[in-house]
Amino acid sequence: MASNIFHRSENLLKLAERLRLYNPNNNNHPSFSSSNFFNIHSQNQSPTIQECNVNEVVKKEQELKPELGTDPINSSSSNSRRARAAVLVCLFEDQQGHLRVILTKRASTVSTYSGEVSLPGGKVEEGDANDTETALREAEEEIGLDRSLVDVVTVLESFTAKKGIIVIPVVGILCDRNAFNPLINTAEVAAIFDAPLEMFLKDENRREQKVEYMGDQYVLHFFDHETEKEKYIIWALTAGILIKAASVVYQRLPDFHERRPRFWNRSRQ
């Protein structure tokens, strides 16, 4: 069977269609319901096969500029650009039709967050046209993910890391997992793996630690995930982004109280 952007299940089509309508400017949670995450506004509405519409997502990024703001520490245009990053929340279906997300373990030799689990991504570079371009470029550089395989469907709210860098989660759908042959950049990445997206809404395999920082009391969530080869811990900002992504995709709140750090929202204030 041909492997291209048009090869996807009806469920992925419906999901892509719904996520394209997601509006991060709406501070209310999406309409959570007990129906499964593939439901869209009308059951009678037939899915339309679309190519990845990057222009559509870029337009959404431009509409979000006031909401995303600038870096709270470095306010000049050049510095704020350096203090901005984008990550790719890349989703695909497994053989059972369940959604999974691609993750990496950072190399032990990198200067920041060495050995930790992260989403593919990195800082904005001078030639990047927008956050979507940054996320796709970094994923291609880190794990060899050809951007033509990824249908970018939406951009989530920004997160501000403790050090002040603004992180933009870009959500994309990998329509054919078999078409992706990972090519790991060992200078940056030690391993690539995937995990069920829904696990970030469940209390199973989750631990938490209460933390206080500059008078703000919040909770760090640790998700334990085991593959055939290794055990991984997904925590901190990466866990926070995936909790948000799973909440949007599955249209429901997590089974636990999240209690996020206030500084994550600094760029939205």
Side-chain angles (χ1 to χ4, degrees), residues 115-132:
E116 294 188 6
V117 170
S118 67
L119 290 156
K123 289 185 178 181
V124 172
E125 293 187 356
E126 200 62 40
D128 294 341
N130 48 62
D131 299 317
T132 296

Side-chain angles (χ1 to χ4, degrees), residues 9 16 28 35 41 52 57 88 112 117 119 124 139 142-143 150 161 166 186-187 189 200 216 230 236 249 259:
S9 73
N28 297 321
S35 57
H41 292 282
C52 173
V57 177
L88 182 64
T112 57
V117 170
L119 290 156
V124 172
E142 291 180 359
I143 59 175
V150 182
I166 299 171
T186 55
V189 175
F200 299 100
D216 178 25
E230 193 170 347
V249 167
R259 200 173 179 183

